[in-house]
Amino acid sequence: MNESADRREATVQRYSGLARLALAGGAPLDCEADTFTDGCFGAAAYTDAGDVPEGALRASLGCGNPLAVADLREGETVLDLGSGGGLDVLLSARRVGPTGRAYGLDASPDMLALARTNAEQAGADNVEFLHGHIEDIPLPATAVDVIISNCVINLSLDKPRVLAEAFRVLKPGGRLGLSDVVADDELDPTARTVAEQQVGCANGTLTTREYEQLLQSVGFTDVRITPTSDAGGGLRSAIVQAVKPVTDQRVL
């Protein structure tokens, strides 16, 4: 196994352990409890979750609420990259209704077991959880209307491939709505590494400018990155939005 594969497996095992803790009734934490002080991380970001299973809310490990900007509509198909305990999938399933569908993709079998348990408790029958990596989405091209993700893309070692895969599976006119952690453009590399380690971004963050450039390079338009909370040390949680144009506007 090469270094990249080792690091990816370490990330999977880390979140598998958190999933097992949640299945056992514990409250998993993805970073130190006092790292974030403004109440916008994890379950605190969901002020309108309603009566979702308590286990799904307890296992929320994100850095925002992508559904706040996803503008999901009845009958749409939505995909959550790195779906964890399934909270965003269950909330998406409600919004797209019985004629829509919500997929969750996760690399951890333990997280998938947790998500399926939560979906069964919620009585959600328009959801499906897939095992796989966000760099190789196991869906055909132009399969979904909306892609969401909550603080997962920063965990990937190949972020350009993740965004290219997202572009591939979106329908023309499809929308991207992510929560993620970004670094200030002018942040010193050494300070950036220290901050990333503190908040659990083991595989590095993108700066706002890098995120914009990557999204545009794979074909996305209408790119908007909006900081939402200070994560400390020059890192910020942010909402990342983009659109797949109806016609491919890239120069080939």
Side-chain angles (χ1 to χ4, degrees):
M1 189 178 290
N2 60 36
E3 182 182 355
S4 294
D6 285 341
R7 289 172 63 185
R8 184 162 79 170
E9 180 60 20
T11 299
V12 172
Q13 290 304 316
R14 174 185 174 195
Y15 283 92
S16 291
L18 295 174
R20 291 192 293 271
L21 176 60
L23 282 165
L29 289 174
D30 195 22
C31 54
E32 295 300 320
D34 60 352
T35 297
F36 305 124
T37 58
D38 56 8
C40 293
F41 294 81
Y46 295 83
T47 58
D48 57 350
D51 58 347
V52 296
E54 196 271 337
L57 196 60
R58 187 174 62 243
S60 175
L61 301 169
C63 56
N65 179 359
L67 295 180
V69 298
D71 189 28
L72 298 180
R73 302 158 193 165
E74 187 85 17
E76 289 189 319
T77 298
V78 58
L79 167 65
D80 181 12
L81 299 180
S83 49
L87 176 61
D88 288 321
V89 175
L90 297 179
L91 294 175
S92 296
R94 289 181 179 178
R95 298 193 183 189
V96 300
T99 61
R101 191 150 192 85
Y103 290 101
L105 173 63
D106 207 279
S108 165
D110 292 291
M111 276 296 183
L112 292 170
L114 174 62
R116 288 166 180 151
T117 296
N118 290 330
E120 183 177 357
Q121 291 178 358
D125 56 9
N126 61 337
V127 305
E128 183 176 351
F129 291 97
L130 307 171
H131 181 245
H133 296 286
I134 60 176
E135 297 87 357
D136 297 284
I137 299 172
L139 287 172
T142 65
V144 301
D145 299 288
V146 182
I147 289 178
I148 62 173
S149 185
N150 197 345
C151 211
V152 172
I153 292 179
N154 71 82
L155 300 174
S156 174
L157 289 162
D158 193 347
K159 297 171 180 64
R161 180 160 178 162
V162 174
L163 298 177
E165 276 287 274
F167 189 88
R168 179 185 68 81
V169 301
L170 275 173
K171 298 175 182 178
R175 310 183 304 282
L176 190 73
L178 317 172
S179 292
D180 209 356
V181 174
V182 299
D184 290 344
D185 289 318
E186 296 78 20
L187 186 60
D188 173 80
T190 300
R192 179 171 164 182
T193 299
V194 171
E196 288 167 348
Q197 292 173 344
Q198 181 183 16
V199 302
C201 299
N203 296 322
T205 57
L206 295 170
T207 67
T208 300
R209 186 178 299 117
E210 289 167 345
Y211 230 131
E212 291 175 345
Q213 291 173 343
L214 279 178
L215 287 164
Q216 291 167 351
S217 71
V218 300
F220 283 104
T221 60
D222 300 327
V223 176
R224 288 176 289 167
I225 300 179
T226 307
T228 56
S229 302
D230 186 354
L235 302 185
R236 306 179 189 281
S237 63
I239 291 291
V240 180
Q241 297 167 278
V243 175
K244 179 175 180 175
V246 174
T247 57
D248 196 339
Q249 299 178 0
R250 290 172 294 177
V251 177
L252 300 179

